[in-house]
Amino acid sequence: MDSDAGSTCSRSSSPDLVVDDSAGSFFSNKMFQTYCRENRADSEAGQGRTEHCGGGGKSKNRSDPDKEEGQDLRLKVNSRERKRMHDLNQAMDGLREVMPYAHGPSVRKLSKISTLLLARNYILMLSSSLDEMKKLVGDVYGGAAAQSRTAAHPTITPAAATVHLPLHPLAQSLHSLVGSTPSALQHHSASTAPHSPPSTSYLSFHAPVQGLLKDPLHLAGSYRHFPGMPCPCSLCQPLPTSTLHSLSMTK
DNA sequence: TAGGCCATCTGGTCCT
DNA sequence: AGGACCAGATGGCCTA
């Protein structure tokens, strides 16, 4: 397809570039070009046919409304499909927003496949961290509760302890998770149990997924981790300098 | 320049 | 019948 107008919207998955697909801009950009091209092609084809048929005006009159109807249908279908894909991309952007990688104008957007793979591993990492934390809290406050009972202190339930005690170190580690947009995950941490400090494991891929990409650090080529800012967080520390360098990529 | 990623078009299939 | 979903094809943009 000739999609010259695609230059204006070829990276339109980000909300600010998404072309309003509603009726107001129905013929904007590519749609307009396609519409013009098809009209031109049709008129040319119509000319050719009339020339070829040698004045078959009747058949032309009969076929044109059908053709226009078909065109309208095709345009409608195209528009719906475009809108569907835009919605999908918006959802993908929403997912990117809550993913633990640096967001910014100088940072290249995660690709779709990278977003999905990172999301998967992020969820797996959070799940295992949550399990680990539950275990730890159970161990610590199981003993603490027994002690408090003997000391006539108010009983602290493990759930309450989960909410209060480990918040400080976790808040720090959360910083490393959310990168430059710590607020992105704040509602998560507030509504769910706190998590243990993240490991770097969520950045790498587990065996079944690994085959999808050339290397486990394929993600690294898609975004920069804390651009321009040395990050002392636990997530960055274990990574060798060379790895961090390969992680960074500017536009 | 090759390869990756993407948007769009298009035809097919399934569902309501 | 109309709409949603899907996958293949195509062409543009960007980066190494």
Short mmCIF file of all heavy atoms in Angstrom, two decimals, chain B residues 2-16:
data_model
loop_
_atom_site.label_atom_id
_atom_site.label_comp_id
_atom_site.label_asym_id
_atom_site.label_seq_id
_atom_site.Cartn_x
_atom_site.Cartn_y
_atom_site.Cartn_z
P DA B 2 20.39 -4.62 1.43
OP1 DA B 2 20.89 -5.55 0.39
OP2 DA B 2 19.15 -3.87 1.20
"O5'" DA B 2 20.25 -5.43 2.79
"C5'" DA B 2 21.44 -5.79 3.50
"C4'" DA B 2 21.11 -6.10 4.95
"O4'" DA B 2 20.91 -4.86 5.68
"C3'" DA B 2 19.84 -6.92 5.16
"O3'" DA B 2 20.04 -7.84 6.22
"C2'" DA B 2 18.78 -5.87 5.51
"C1'" DA B 2 19.62 -4.83 6.24
N9 DA B 2 19.14 -3.45 6.11
C8 DA B 2 18.67 -2.83 4.99
N7 DA B 2 18.33 -1.58 5.17
C5 DA B 2 18.60 -1.35 6.51
C6 DA B 2 18.45 -0.22 7.32
N6 DA B 2 17.99 0.95 6.87
N1 DA B 2 18.81 -0.33 8.62
C2 DA B 2 19.28 -1.50 9.06
N3 DA B 2 19.46 -2.65 8.40
C4 DA B 2 19.10 -2.50 7.11
P DG B 3 18.97 -8.93 6.52
OP1 DG B 3 19.71 -10.18 6.80
OP2 DG B 3 17.93 -8.90 5.48
"O5'" DG B 3 18.33 -8.42 7.88
"C5'" DG B 3 19.19 -8.05 8.94
"C4'" DG B 3 18.40 -7.35 10.03
"O4'" DG B 3 18.09 -6.00 9.62
"C3'" DG B 3 17.05 -8.01 10.36
"O3'" DG B 3 16.92 -8.10 11.76
"C2'" DG B 3 16.02 -7.07 9.75
"C1'" DG B 3 16.73 -5.72 9.88
N9 DG B 3 16.31 -4.70 8.93
C8 DG B 3 16.07 -4.86 7.59
N7 DG B 3 15.71 -3.75 6.99
C5 DG B 3 15.72 -2.81 8.01
C6 DG B 3 15.41 -1.42 7.97
O6 DG B 3 15.06 -0.73 7.01
N1 DG B 3 15.54 -0.84 9.23
C2 DG B 3 15.92 -1.49 10.37
N2 DG B 3 15.99 -0.78 11.48
N3 DG B 3 16.20 -2.79 10.42
C4 DG B 3 16.08 -3.38 9.21
P DG B 4 15.71 -8.89 12.39
OP1 DG B 4 16.29 -9.90 13.32
OP2 DG B 4 14.78 -9.32 11.32
"O5'" DG B 4 14.99 -7.77 13.26
"C5'" DG B 4 15.79 -6.91 14.08
"C4'" DG B 4 14.94 -5.76 14.58
"O4'" DG B 4 14.75 -4.79 13.52
"C3'" DG B 4 13.54 -6.18 15.04
"O3'" DG B 4 13.27 -5.55 16.28
"C2'" DG B 4 12.62 -5.67 13.93
"C1'" DG B 4 13.39 -4.46 13.41
N9 DG B 4 13.12 -4.13 12.02
C8 DG B 4 13.15 -4.98 10.95
N7 DG B 4 12.88 -4.40 9.81
C5 DG B 4 12.65 -3.08 10.15
C6 DG B 4 12.31 -1.96 9.35
O6 DG B 4 12.13 -1.94 8.12
N1 DG B 4 12.18 -0.81 10.09
C2 DG B 4 12.35 -0.72 11.46
N2 DG B 4 12.18 0.48 12.00
N3 DG B 4 12.66 -1.76 12.23
C4 DG B 4 12.80 -2.89 11.51
P DC B 5 12.03 -6.02 17.11
OP1 DC B 5 12.39 -5.96 18.54
OP2 DC B 5 11.49 -7.26 16.53
"O5'" DC B 5 10.97 -4.87 16.82
"C5'" DC B 5 11.36 -3.52 17.07
"C4'" DC B 5 10.33 -2.58 16.48
"O4'" DC B 5 10.48 -2.55 15.04
"C3'" DC B 5 8.87 -2.99 16.74
"O3'" DC B 5 8.26 -2.01 17.56
"C2'" DC B 5 8.24 -3.08 15.35
"C1'" DC B 5 9.23 -2.31 14.48
N1 DC B 5 9.27 -2.75 13.07
C2 DC B 5 9.09 -1.82 12.04
O2 DC B 5 8.88 -0.65 12.33
N3 DC B 5 9.12 -2.24 10.75
C4 DC B 5 9.35 -3.52 10.48
N4 DC B 5 9.39 -3.89 9.20
C5 DC B 5 9.55 -4.49 11.51
C6 DC B 5 9.51 -4.06 12.78
P DC B 6 6.78 -2.18 18.04
OP1 DC B 6 6.66 -1.47 19.32
OP2 DC B 6 6.41 -3.61 17.94
"O5'" DC B 6 5.94 -1.38 16.95
"C5'" DC B 6 6.29 -0.02 16.66
"C4'" DC B 6 5.60 0.42 15.40
"O4'" DC B 6 6.14 -0.29 14.28
"C3'" DC B 6 4.10 0.13 15.39
"O3'" DC B 6 3.38 1.32 15.66
"C2'" DC B 6 3.82 -0.40 13.98
"C1'" DC B 6 5.16 -0.31 13.27
N1 DC B 6 5.43 -1.46 12.39
C2 DC B 6 5.41 -1.28 11.00
O2 DC B 6 5.17 -0.16 10.56
N3 DC B 6 5.65 -2.34 10.21
C4 DC B 6 5.91 -3.53 10.74
N4 DC B 6 6.14 -4.55 9.91
C5 DC B 6 5.94 -3.74 12.15
C6 DC B 6 5.69 -2.68 12.93
P DA B 7 1.84 1.27 15.86
OP1 DA B 7 1.50 2.33 16.82
OP2 DA B 7 1.45 -0.13 16.12
"O5'" DA B 7 1.27 1.68 14.43
"C5'" DA B 7 1.77 2.85 13.79
"C4'" DA B 7 1.09 3.04 12.45
"O4'" DA B 7 1.59 2.07 11.51
"C3'" DA B 7 -0.42 2.87 12.47
"O3'" DA B 7 -1.02 3.84 11.63
"C2'" DA B 7 -0.64 1.45 11.96
"C1'" DA B 7 0.56 1.26 11.01
N9 DA B 7 1.05 -0.11 10.95
C8 DA B 7 1.28 -0.95 12.01
N7 DA B 7 1.75 -2.12 11.66
C5 DA B 7 1.84 -2.05 10.28
C6 DA B 7 2.27 -2.97 9.31
N6 DA B 7 2.71 -4.20 9.60
N1 DA B 7 2.23 -2.58 8.02
C2 DA B 7 1.80 -1.34 7.73
N3 DA B 7 1.37 -0.39 8.55
C4 DA B 7 1.42 -0.81 9.83
P DT B 8 -2.58 4.00 11.62
OP1 DT B 8 -2.84 5.44 11.41
OP2 DT B 8 -3.19 3.29 12.77
"O5'" DT B 8 -2.98 3.22 10.30
"C5'" DT B 8 -2.32 3.55 9.06
"C4'" DT B 8 -2.62 2.49 8.02
"O4'" DT B 8 -1.90 1.29 8.35
"C3'" DT B 8 -4.10 2.08 7.93
"O3'" DT B 8 -4.62 2.56 6.70
"C2'" DT B 8 -4.07 0.55 7.98
"C1'" DT B 8 -2.60 0.22 7.77
N1 DT B 8 -2.13 -1.03 8.43
C2 DT B 8 -1.61 -2.03 7.65
O2 DT B 8 -1.51 -1.97 6.45
N3 DT B 8 -1.20 -3.15 8.35
C4 DT B 8 -1.25 -3.33 9.71
O4 DT B 8 -0.84 -4.37 10.23
C5 DT B 8 -1.80 -2.23 10.48
C7 DT B 8 -1.90 -2.33 11.95
C6 DT B 8 -2.21 -1.15 9.79
P DC B 9 -6.14 2.31 6.35
OP1 DC B 9 -6.58 3.46 5.54
OP2 DC B 9 -6.89 1.92 7.56
"O5'" DC B 9 -6.02 1.03 5.40
"C5'" DC B 9 -5.03 1.05 4.37
"C4'" DC B 9 -5.06 -0.26 3.62
"O4'" DC B 9 -4.42 -1.29 4.41
"C3'" DC B 9 -6.46 -0.79 3.27
"O3'" DC B 9 -6.46 -1.25 1.93
"C2'" DC B 9 -6.67 -1.92 4.26
"C1'" DC B 9 -5.25 -2.44 4.47
N1 DC B 9 -4.99 -3.10 5.77
C2 DC B 9 -4.37 -4.35 5.80
O2 DC B 9 -4.06 -4.90 4.74
N3 DC B 9 -4.13 -4.94 6.99
C4 DC B 9 -4.47 -4.32 8.12
N4 DC B 9 -4.21 -4.93 9.28
C5 DC B 9 -5.09 -3.03 8.11
C6 DC B 9 -5.33 -2.47 6.93
P DT B 10 -7.84 -1.59 1.22
OP1 DT B 10 -7.66 -1.30 -0.22
OP2 DT B 10 -8.94 -0.98 1.97
"O5'" DT B 10 -7.93 -3.17 1.40
"C5'" DT B 10 -6.79 -3.97 1.04
"C4'" DT B 10 -7.03 -5.40 1.45
"O4'" DT B 10 -6.66 -5.58 2.84
"C3'" DT B 10 -8.48 -5.87 1.32
"O3'" DT B 10 -8.55 -6.95 0.42
"C2'" DT B 10 -8.86 -6.29 2.74
"C1'" DT B 10 -7.52 -6.54 3.40
N1 DT B 10 -7.48 -6.34 4.87
C2 DT B 10 -6.90 -7.31 5.66
O2 DT B 10 -6.41 -8.32 5.23
N3 DT B 10 -6.92 -7.03 7.01
C4 DT B 10 -7.45 -5.91 7.62
O4 DT B 10 -7.41 -5.78 8.84
C5 DT B 10 -8.03 -4.93 6.74
C7 DT B 10 -8.64 -3.70 7.29
C6 DT B 10 -8.02 -5.19 5.41
P DG B 11 -9.94 -7.36 -0.23
OP1 DG B 11 -9.76 -7.35 -1.69
OP2 DG B 11 -11.04 -6.58 0.39
"O5'" DG B 11 -10.08 -8.89 0.25
"C5'" DG B 11 -8.97 -9.75 0.12
"C4'" DG B 11 -9.09 -10.90 1.10
"O4'" DG B 11 -8.85 -10.40 2.44
"C3'" DG B 11 -10.46 -11.58 1.13
"O3'" DG B 11 -10.29 -12.98 1.05
"C2'" DG B 11 -11.07 -11.14 2.46
"C1'" DG B 11 -9.82 -10.93 3.31
N9 DG B 11 -9.98 -9.97 4.40
C8 DG B 11 -10.60 -8.75 4.33
N7 DG B 11 -10.58 -8.11 5.48
C5 DG B 11 -9.93 -8.98 6.35
C6 DG B 11 -9.62 -8.82 7.72
O6 DG B 11 -9.87 -7.87 8.48
N1 DG B 11 -8.95 -9.93 8.22
C2 DG B 11 -8.60 -11.04 7.48
N2 DG B 11 -7.96 -12.01 8.12
N3 DG B 11 -8.89 -11.19 6.20
C4 DG B 11 -9.55 -10.12 5.70
P DG B 12 -11.56 -13.94 0.98
OP1 DG B 12 -11.28 -14.90 -0.10
OP2 DG B 12 -12.80 -13.13 0.96
"O5'" DG B 12 -11.49 -14.71 2.37
"C5'" DG B 12 -10.25 -15.25 2.80
"C4'" DG B 12 -10.36 -15.71 4.25
"O4'" DG B 12 -10.32 -14.54 5.10
"C3'" DG B 12 -11.64 -16.46 4.58
"O3'" DG B 12 -11.33 -17.71 5.19
"C2'" DG B 12 -12.40 -15.53 5.52
"C1'" DG B 12 -11.28 -14.69 6.12
N9 DG B 12 -11.70 -13.34 6.51
C8 DG B 12 -12.26 -12.39 5.70
N7 DG B 12 -12.53 -11.27 6.32
C5 DG B 12 -12.15 -11.52 7.63
C6 DG B 12 -12.21 -10.68 8.77
O6 DG B 12 -12.64 -9.51 8.86
N1 DG B 12 -11.72 -11.31 9.91
C2 DG B 12 -11.21 -12.59 9.92
N2 DG B 12 -10.78 -13.03 11.10
N3 DG B 12 -11.15 -13.38 8.88
C4 DG B 12 -11.63 -12.78 7.77
P DT B 13 -12.49 -18.76 5.45
OP1 DT B 13 -11.91 -20.10 5.25
OP2 DT B 13 -13.70 -18.33 4.70
"O5'" DT B 13 -12.80 -18.58 7.01
"C5'" DT B 13 -11.72 -18.57 7.93
"C4'" DT B 13 -12.22 -18.23 9.32
"O4'" DT B 13 -12.45 -16.80 9.42
"C3'" DT B 13 -13.55 -18.91 9.69
"O3'" DT B 13 -13.39 -19.60 10.92
"C2'" DT B 13 -14.54 -17.76 9.81
"C1'" DT B 13 -13.63 -16.58 10.15
N1 DT B 13 -14.14 -15.25 9.75
C2 DT B 13 -14.21 -14.25 10.69
O2 DT B 13 -13.87 -14.41 11.85
N3 DT B 13 -14.71 -13.06 10.23
C4 DT B 13 -15.12 -12.78 8.94
O4 DT B 13 -15.55 -11.67 8.66
C5 DT B 13 -15.03 -13.86 8.01
C7 DT B 13 -15.45 -13.66 6.59
C6 DT B 13 -14.55 -15.03 8.46
P DC B 14 -14.51 -20.58 11.46
OP1 DC B 14 -13.87 -21.80 11.96
OP2 DC B 14 -15.59 -20.68 10.44
"O5'" DC B 14 -15.11 -19.77 12.70
"C5'" DC B 14 -14.20 -19.18 13.62
"C4'" DC B 14 -14.92 -18.20 14.54
"O4'" DC B 14 -15.19 -16.98 13.80
"C3'" DC B 14 -16.28 -18.70 15.06
"O3'" DC B 14 -16.32 -18.55 16.46
"C2'" DC B 14 -17.30 -17.83 14.35
"C1'" DC B 14 -16.51 -16.55 14.08
N1 DC B 14 -16.98 -15.76 12.91
C2 DC B 14 -17.24 -14.40 13.06
O2 DC B 14 -17.07 -13.87 14.16
N3 DC B 14 -17.68 -13.70 11.99
C4 DC B 14 -17.84 -14.30 10.82
N4 DC B 14 -18.27 -13.57 9.78
C5 DC B 14 -17.58 -15.69 10.64
C6 DC B 14 -17.15 -16.38 11.71
P DC B 15 -17.52 -19.19 17.29
OP1 DC B 15 -16.94 -19.84 18.49
OP2 DC B 15 -18.40 -19.95 16.37
"O5'" DC B 15 -18.30 -17.88 17.75
"C5'" DC B 15 -17.55 -16.78 18.25
"C4'" DC B 15 -18.45 -15.55 18.40
"O4'" DC B 15 -18.67 -14.93 17.10
"C3'" DC B 15 -19.84 -15.86 18.97
"O3'" DC B 15 -20.14 -14.91 19.97
"C2'" DC B 15 -20.77 -15.72 17.77
"C1'" DC B 15 -20.04 -14.66 16.94
N1 DC B 15 -20.33 -14.70 15.48
C2 DC B 15 -20.74 -13.54 14.83
O2 DC B 15 -20.87 -12.50 15.48
N3 DC B 15 -21.00 -13.59 13.50
C4 DC B 15 -20.85 -14.73 12.83
N4 DC B 15 -21.11 -14.73 11.53
C5 DC B 15 -20.43 -15.93 13.47
C6 DC B 15 -20.19 -15.87 14.79
P DT B 16 -21.34 -15.21 21.00
OP1 DT B 16 -20.81 -14.97 22.36
OP2 DT B 16 -21.94 -16.51 20.65
"O5'" DT B 16 -22.39 -14.05 20.67
"C5'" DT B 16 -21.93 -12.70 20.60
"C4'" DT B 16 -23.00 -11.84 19.96
"O4'" DT B 16 -22.99 -12.01 18.52
"C3'" DT B 16 -24.42 -12.15 20.43
"O3'" DT B 16 -25.10 -10.92 20.71
"C2'" DT B 16 -25.06 -12.84 19.24
"C1'" DT B 16 -24.31 -12.16 18.08
N1 DT B 16 -24.28 -12.95 16.82
C2 DT B 16 -24.50 -12.30 15.63
O2 DT B 16 -24.72 -11.11 15.55
N3 DT B 16 -24.44 -13.12 14.52
C4 DT B 16 -24.20 -14.48 14.50
O4 DT B 16 -24.18 -15.09 13.45
C5 DT B 16 -23.97 -15.09 15.79
C7 DT B 16 -23.72 -16.55 15.88
C6 DT B 16 -24.03 -14.31 16.88
#
